């Protein structure tokens, strides 16, 4: 056991570090808000990385990738963080992490070549058009219709929770093409240009004040059959693959104690580290944060050994989101009445906790709710049976519908 | 990055599991539980010795195999999974570690080969009264190499031949080695919440005591011994917690209620998912502890605290929710859930309670931040 690179990894790290020193932009304004970035600067950096083989490192060269390994991709991310340029990746996280890989996994070579490189270079950004007002956790319950019209399909309906739709060029969309059969059997996936007439994007105003997501309305949007990503009515299998990518992650911060040390810092500044009740909680949070950090390291170890990491990563988001909520509550209480003030000029730690207390409820829902993630662990990791379902055999259009 | 055991170490772990599946069966565990006169499974202890496990982390010059702590961690996890009714922790994590940390060459030469060969059972006697151990709480004292006082509970104190004892020497907390077969030692077996592991009250009346380490070093040495024991115990806890999750899962698949497997209800599923989450966190923290122990890293006190807090929480949760998942049968004598529940409490208390470790962890963070 150790925390060292193998000789090959060390050589790669050195090369990446040197390249970053010579090429990375300096003095990036690093906001803690994921939604704040300079799109043009991000795109320029992504193109530069692609030319050097550092964008989408695991993709082949002809796709604009680096023909490298997963562990190399992790090492480069660590070096980007060290160079202070990680925030430049923000607009591409979903595009290159979820949406575009799902498209490329399901289309012919010509289409792959058309979209891979511009995506890797950041010239074209992809969003994911899955969730709907009537289907969040139950994605297969979506109602957006696609109806065949000659060589085209006409799409009508509404998507929601679409991150970055306002700056995306393309999207991957799941639609209902046959409502007369059980819900999983009537779905079809397409890619769509976000510039197509009939698409309207409206930002969602979150309780935290941020607007990272959008509603996307489709009114008689025409797409060609060549834009179909799955077989007709066989879109569910493809979307399940996408969701699995989204829910697994190599998580955990890089610094000992992660964000629990922010609470430590606050308590230290307020002279409240002697509080016995707080010390107990702090120790729990520290141990939990470290547990996540070492879980991430165990997954990296598997990658480094050329193995596929185990299912341990499935715990990351649910643990982080709940930890965040617990910690922010206590951090506000430590400030007592002053905790009410949400003003970065006068609140401790530039109002970090006031911001995160309003953001934490969303963390427990976005990208898979706590409940769905527990189901995933129970069913896919522990092999427990699925719940009894009323929606597997009834045709979609006969299912009871609420709001 | 290499935060995992090697293939050879994993193989050792697999072999240990197979061995204990055969040698430390639940029937053998129960025979210790049900027989008031039986403090441990002597046959099992002998066969563990024959495997060479007792000397896994004892250097070859003292009769051990000199494999290292990572190997010992692998064995510890399986001992924990099997809830082995044997004095492994007392003898290896406490007694042998205390000697390795503070013993003179002569002391190491005298005791360690006997431990490695399975001839000697050792124990660790620090506690005297309810409440956390502090320098002020030590009543036992040594005058002219003679020890007087009481220690309880002493895990395996009724079967050990020798004890490491914390006592005041001229008012200074100091560790001593005491031969328990000598004059002036009275032992009484105690009733505990986990009868599969014995514990005793030791009363010393001018018993011969040999100093271990320097005078006045006792409290600091105890903390260092506990750091090391905590990591190894964390592996036992991880093994036990894993077994509880496995039992709960098997029952949730086999048991039907209201016309379907109870494992298909989210109320059960989510509880098992939470067990899994806590077990993963505990295992990952234990691995970091293993690294720190094996390399004797300056991070050991923080790593040990993290491992102990996380593993105690995981085993407690898994043990109590395993009972809950089993419903009415879960709290009967004949179903095995309570064996793990008992052991989860035993392991969480023997190296100091988690609440004390939480305080220690934050103190370590304060020290690190001040540096």
């Amino acid at each position: 056991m150790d925390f060292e690179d193998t000789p090959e990894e060390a050589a790669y790290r050195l090369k990446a570090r040197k390249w970053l020193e010579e090429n990375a932009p300096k003095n990036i304004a690093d906001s803690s808000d994921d939604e704040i970035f300079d799109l043009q600067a991000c795109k320029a950096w992504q193109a530069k990385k692609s030319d050097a083989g550092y964008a989408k490192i695991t993709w082949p060269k002809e796709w604009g990738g680096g023909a490298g390994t997963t562990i190399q991709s992790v090492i480069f991310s660590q070096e980007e963080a060290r160079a202070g340029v990680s925030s430049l990746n923000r607009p591409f996280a979903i595009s290159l992490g979820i949406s575009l890989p799902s498209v490329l996994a399901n289309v012919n070579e010509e289409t792959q070549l058309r979209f891979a490189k511009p995506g890797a270079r950041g010239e074209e950004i992809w969003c994911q058009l899955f969730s709907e007002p009537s289907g969040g956790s139950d994605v297969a319950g979506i109602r957006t219709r696609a109806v065949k019209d000659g060589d085209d399909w006409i799409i009508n309906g509404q998507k929601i929770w679409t991150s970055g739709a306002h700056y995306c060029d393309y999207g991957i969309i799941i639609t209902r093409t046959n409502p007369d059969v059980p819900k999983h059997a009537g779905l079809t996936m397409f890619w769509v240009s976000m510039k197509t007439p009939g698409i309207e994007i409206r930002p969602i105003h979150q309780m935290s004040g941020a607007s990272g997501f959008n509603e996307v309305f489709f009114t008689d949007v025409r797409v060609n059959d060549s834009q179909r990503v799955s077989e007709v009515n066989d879109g569910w299998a493809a979307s399940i693959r996408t969701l699995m990518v989204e829910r697994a992650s190599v998580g955990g911060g890089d610094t000992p104690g992660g964000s629990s040390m922010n609470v430590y810092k606050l308590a230290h500044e307020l002279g409240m580290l002697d509080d016995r009740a707080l010390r107990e909680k702090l120790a729990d949070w520290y141990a939990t944060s470290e547990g996540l950090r070492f879980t991430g390291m165990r997954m990296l170890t598997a990658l480094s050994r050329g193995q596929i990491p185990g299912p341990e990563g499935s715990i990351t988001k649910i643990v982080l989101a709940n930890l965040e909520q617990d910690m922010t509550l206590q951090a506000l209480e430590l400030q007592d009445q002053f905790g009410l003030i949400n003003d970065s000029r006068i609140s401790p730690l530039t109002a970090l906790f006031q911001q995160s207390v309003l953001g934490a409820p969303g963390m427990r829902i976005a990208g898979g709710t706590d409940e769905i993630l527990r189901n995933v662990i129970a069913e896919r990791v522990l092999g427990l049976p699925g719940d009894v379902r009323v929606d597997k055999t009834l045709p979609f259009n006969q299912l009871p519908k609420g709001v | 990055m290499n935060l995992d055991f090697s293939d050879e170490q994993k193989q050792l772990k697999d072999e240990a599991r197979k061995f204990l599946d055969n040698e430390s069966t639940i029937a053998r565990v129960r025979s210790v539980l049900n027989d008031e006169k039986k403090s441990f499974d002597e046959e099992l202890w002998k066969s563990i010795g024959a495997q060479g496990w007792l000397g896994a982390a004892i250097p070859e010059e003292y009769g051990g195999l000199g494999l290292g702590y990572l190997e010992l961690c692998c064995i510890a996890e399986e001992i924990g999974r099997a809830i082995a009714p044997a004095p492994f922790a007392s003898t290896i994590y406490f007694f042998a570690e205390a000697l390795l940390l503070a013993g003179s060459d002569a002391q190491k030469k005298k005791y360690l080969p006997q431990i490695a060969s399975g001839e000697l059972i050792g124990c660790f006697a620090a506690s005297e009264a309810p409440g956390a151990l502090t320098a002020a709480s030590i009543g036992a004292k040594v005058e002219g190499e003679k020890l007087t006082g009481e220690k309880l509970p002493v895990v395996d104190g009724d079967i050990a031949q020798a004890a490491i004892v914390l006592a005041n020497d001229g008012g200074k907390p100091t560790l001593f080695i005491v031969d328990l077969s000598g004059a002036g030692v009275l032992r009484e077996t105690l009733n505990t919440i986990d009868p599969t592991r014995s514990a005793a009250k030791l009363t010393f009346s001018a018993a011969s005591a040999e100093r271990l380490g320097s005078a006045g070093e006792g409290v600091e040495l105890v903390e260092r011994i506990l750091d090391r024991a905590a990591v190894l115990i964390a592996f036992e806890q991880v093994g036990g917690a894993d077994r509880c999750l496995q039992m709960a899962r098997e029952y949730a698949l086999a048991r039907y209620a209201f016309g379907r497997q109870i494992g298909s209800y989210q109320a059960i599923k989510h509880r098992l998912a939470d067990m899994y989450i806590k077990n993963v966190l505990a295992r990952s923290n234990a691995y970091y502890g293993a690294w720190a122990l094996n390399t004797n890293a300056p991070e050991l006190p923080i790593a040990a605290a993290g491992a102990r807090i996380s593993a105690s929480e995981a085993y407690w949760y898994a043990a109590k929710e395993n009972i809950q998942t089993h419903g009415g049968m879960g709290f009967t004598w004949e179903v095995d859930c309570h064996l793990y529940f008992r052991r989860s409490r035993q392991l969480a208390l023997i190296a100091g309670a988690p609440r004390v470790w939480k305080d220690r962890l934050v103190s370590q963070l304060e020290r690190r931040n001040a540096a």
Side-chain angles (χ1 to χ4, degrees):
Chain A
M1 280 187 188
D2 58 61
F3 304 98
E4 308 304 318
D5 288 332
T6 65
E8 294 77 23
E9 289 164 6
Y12 184 86
R13 187 183 297 281
L14 198 69
K15 199 179 81 167
R17 188 172 292 182
K18 190 158 172 286
W19 186 83
L20 282 163
E21 273 163 14
E22 286 162 9
N23 293 282
K26 306 280 182 283
N27 305 320
I28 303 295
D30 191 11
S31 165
S32 61
D33 185 341
D34 281 353
E35 298 309 323
I36 295 175
F37 48 78
D38 174 348
L39 188 60
Q40 288 320 310
C42 294
K43 286 188 166 203
W45 175 233
Q46 190 68 18
K48 198 167 187 176
K49 285 199 295 183
S50 178
D51 291 340
Y54 290 126
K56 207 61 198 173
I57 286 165
T58 54
W59 279 6
K61 296 262 188 204
E62 59 270 28
W63 285 15
T69 63
T70 309
I71 193 79
Q72 287 176 345
S73 155
V74 172
I75 289 170
F76 189 78
S77 298
Q78 292 169 342
E79 291 303 313
E80 271 191 304
R82 188 175 175 272
V85 292
S86 293
S87 62
L88 293 175
N89 294 323
R90 283 174 179 165
F92 314 111
I94 289 172
S95 177
L96 293 175
I98 302 170
S99 308
L100 193 47
S102 311
V103 173
L104 297 179
N106 290 291
V107 295
N108 63 26
E109 196 182 340
E110 187 192 342
T111 316
Q112 286 176 337
L113 287 175
R114 160 63 190 86
F115 287 123
K117 200 165 192 176
R121 292 175 58 81
E123 288 160 8
E124 294 171 353
I125 308 181
W126 288 71
C127 60
Q128 184 193 20
L129 299 152
F130 278 24
S131 294
E132 294 189 9
S134 63
S137 294
D138 181 13
V139 180
I142 55 137
R143 297 179 192 175
T144 293
R145 289 294 312 274
V147 177
K148 193 87 194 285
D149 181 40
D151 279 345
D152 291 342
W153 295 79
I154 312 289
I155 301 176
N156 278 287
Q158 184 198 344
K159 295 292 174 178
I160 196 169
W161 307 119
T162 313
S163 307
H166 48 296
Y167 57 78
C168 280
D169 305 283
Y170 292 93
I172 178 168
I173 183 171
I174 182 107
T175 62
R176 183 157 308 280
T177 40
N178 185 358
D180 300 322
V181 292
K183 64 181 189 179
H184 295 93
L187 301 171
T188 304
M189 202 185 264
F190 297 90
W191 62 261
V192 58
S193 163
M194 295 303 284
K195 310 291 185 296
T196 316
I199 295 180
E200 188 200 342
I201 298 164
R202 294 182 204 157
I204 297 171
H205 198 190
Q206 294 153 234
M207 63 177 275
S208 64
S211 293
F213 305 97
N214 299 276
E215 295 178 289
V216 182
F217 295 86
F218 290 77
T219 310
D220 294 330
V221 173
R222 185 172 286 271
V223 299
N224 192 266
D225 190 56
S226 63
Q227 290 171 246
R228 194 160 41 75
V229 173
S230 72
E231 294 298 318
V232 175
N233 296 326
D234 194 28
W236 180 244
S239 43
I240 271 292
R241 281 195 289 277
T242 306
L243 292 173
M244 285 300 107
V245 174
E246 179 175 10
R247 285 166 188 169
S249 61
V250 177
D254 288 330
T255 55
S259 53
S260 72
M261 289 309 287
N262 287 332
V263 187
Y264 176 96
K265 197 171 158 198
L266 174 71
H268 179 70
E269 280 180 12
L270 300 179
M272 296 179 77
L273 269 175
D274 287 341
D275 182 307
R276 182 89 206 191
L278 175 75
R279 288 172 80 85
E280 283 226 8
K281 290 196 172 93
L282 251 185
D284 281 331
W285 298 329
Y286 186 88
T288 302
S289 298
E290 289 288 84
L292 281 181
R293 185 164 73 98
F294 303 133
T295 301
M297 288 182 178
R298 287 171 57 204
M299 295 175 72
L300 290 184
T301 302
L303 289 173
S304 177
R305 293 180 182 181
Q307 301 158 349
I308 297 165
E312 293 84 3
S314 59
I315 74 166
T316 305
K317 201 207 77 145
I318 189 171
V319 174
L320 263 185
N322 286 277
L323 188 62
E324 189 72 14
Q325 196 157 43
D326 280 1
M327 292 195 304
T328 50
L329 171 72
Q330 291 302 322
L332 292 197
E333 289 208 3
L334 282 181
Q335 298 171 41
D336 211 277
Q337 296 183 44
F338 209 90
L340 186 63
I341 304 169
N342 181 11
D343 185 330
S344 59
R345 292 164 305 176
I346 51 178
S347 297
L349 275 69
T350 62
L352 171 71
F353 298 109
Q354 282 75 11
Q355 284 303 310
S356 48
V357 80
L358 296 169
M363 271 184 75
R364 290 184 50 201
I365 294 165
T369 62
D370 283 2
E371 292 76 13
I372 288 292
L373 293 177
R374 283 194 174 92
N375 283 350
V376 168
I377 290 172
E379 291 173 23
R380 292 179 189 269
V381 182
L382 301 177
L384 293 171
D387 211 331
V388 167
R389 299 273 293 267
V390 294
D391 60 348
K392 283 205 158 170
T393 47
L394 267 186
F396 177 74
N397 53 15
Q398 290 174 31
L399 286 177
K401 290 180 177 64
V403 288
Chain B
M1 184 61 63
N2 186 21
L3 189 62
D4 197 357
F5 293 96
S6 68
D7 288 345
E8 292 76 16
Q9 287 155 353
K10 287 179 183 173
Q11 201 183 333
L12 169 69
K13 194 158 95 91
D14 285 348
E15 283 163 12
R17 186 182 304 193
K18 279 184 207 137
F19 175 82
L20 290 166
D21 277 349
N22 291 325
E23 298 292 324
S24 181
T25 58
I26 288 296
R28 299 267 291 266
V29 177
R30 281 183 176 274
S31 78
V32 175
L33 175 74
N34 292 330
D35 185 346
E36 272 187 30
K37 293 193 184 68
K38 208 167 171 182
S39 293
F40 73 120
D41 187 328
E42 204 166 348
E43 200 127 324
L44 171 65
W45 181 242
K46 278 185 189 147
S47 63
I48 283 175
Q51 291 294 304
W53 295 353
L54 301 172
I58 294 176
E60 284 174 284
E61 55 177 314
Y62 300 117
L65 295 178
L67 291 173
Y69 287 100
L70 298 181
E71 285 75 10
L72 187 55
C73 288
C74 291
I75 295 166
E77 183 180 335
E78 297 312 317
I79 295 262
R81 189 186 313 273
I83 46 173
F88 196 77
S90 315
T91 306
I92 305 300
Y93 315 159
F94 288 96
F95 192 88
E97 282 307 310
L99 281 161
L100 283 166
L101 256 185
S104 67
D105 193 50
Q107 288 170 331
K108 289 181 194 169
K109 277 194 175 122
K110 180 175 173 192
Y111 292 104
L112 293 175
Q114 292 186 64
I115 292 170
S117 67
E119 292 159 67
L120 185 124
I121 294 172
C123 64
F124 179 71
S127 168
E128 294 182 18
L133 194 67
T134 62
S137 71
I138 307 168
K141 55 180 184 231
V142 169
E143 280 164 352
E145 299 186 345
K146 297 290 177 193
L147 169 66
T148 301
E150 282 180 359
K151 290 287 171 183
L152 72 165
V154 180
V155 178
D156 298 310
D158 51 345
I159 55 173
Q161 288 98 316
I164 306 286
V165 182
L166 177 64
N168 279 320
D169 185 359
K172 289 190 284 190
T174 306
L175 287 185
F176 293 89
I177 309 173
V178 179
D179 178 355
L180 296 179
S181 57
V185 180
L186 182 71
R187 324 189 198 200
E188 296 162 77
T189 301
L190 298 168
N191 288 326
T192 72
I193 53 173
D194 182 13
T196 68
R197 299 296 305 104
S198 74
K201 174 183 173 184
L202 300 183
T203 307
F204 302 102
S205 326
S208 293
E210 179 187 351
R211 188 163 47 78
L212 178 72
S214 315
E217 206 188 8
V219 171
E220 191 213 325
L221 273 178
V222 166
E223 287 197 352
R224 291 179 63 199
I225 294 164
L226 290 180
D227 283 342
R228 308 174 78 76
V231 172
L232 294 159
I233 291 170
F235 275 88
E236 288 204 15
Q237 293 169 310
V238 164
D242 230 33
R243 178 76 188 110
C244 288
L245 173 55
Q246 189 193 349
M247 285 172 74
R249 177 185 175 275
E250 283 165 7
Y251 190 77
L253 288 170
R255 174 78 177 179
Y256 279 67
F258 307 105
R260 53 172 163 140
Q261 288 164 297
I262 63 167
S264 66
Y265 293 101
Q266 293 193 348
I268 300 286
K269 250 186 217 177
H270 288 187
R271 180 188 299 149
L272 265 60
D274 284 339
M275 280 192 207
Y276 176 80
I277 288 170
K278 286 174 191 291
N279 287 3
V280 170
L281 292 172
R283 179 175 292 279
S284 300
N285 275 312
Y287 281 23
Y288 182 61
W291 165 81
L293 175 61
N294 193 50
T295 55
N296 204 16
E299 290 91 342
L300 179 60
I302 289 180
R308 180 145 182 84
I309 293 164
S310 202
S312 298
E313 166 67 17
Y315 200 3
W316 168 241
Y317 188 80
K320 76 184 171 81
E321 298 306 328
N322 183 33
I323 293 178
Q324 186 70 18
T325 303
H326 278 74
M329 291 308 290
F331 68 94
T332 61
W333 191 268
E334 70 206 74
V335 166
D336 297 332
C337 299
H338 69 111
L339 302 176
Y340 299 88
F341 185 85
R342 293 171 189 280
R343 187 63 63 87
S344 85
R345 289 301 79 208
Q346 197 260 3
L347 292 175
L349 296 172
I350 60 170
R355 62 178 279 278
V356 177
W357 282 88
K358 288 177 186 178
D359 193 53
R360 280 180 72 182
L361 173 57
V362 178
S363 299
Q364 290 291 339
L365 295 180
E366 289 176 291
R367 203 166 301 168
R368 183 172 78 188
N369 257 39

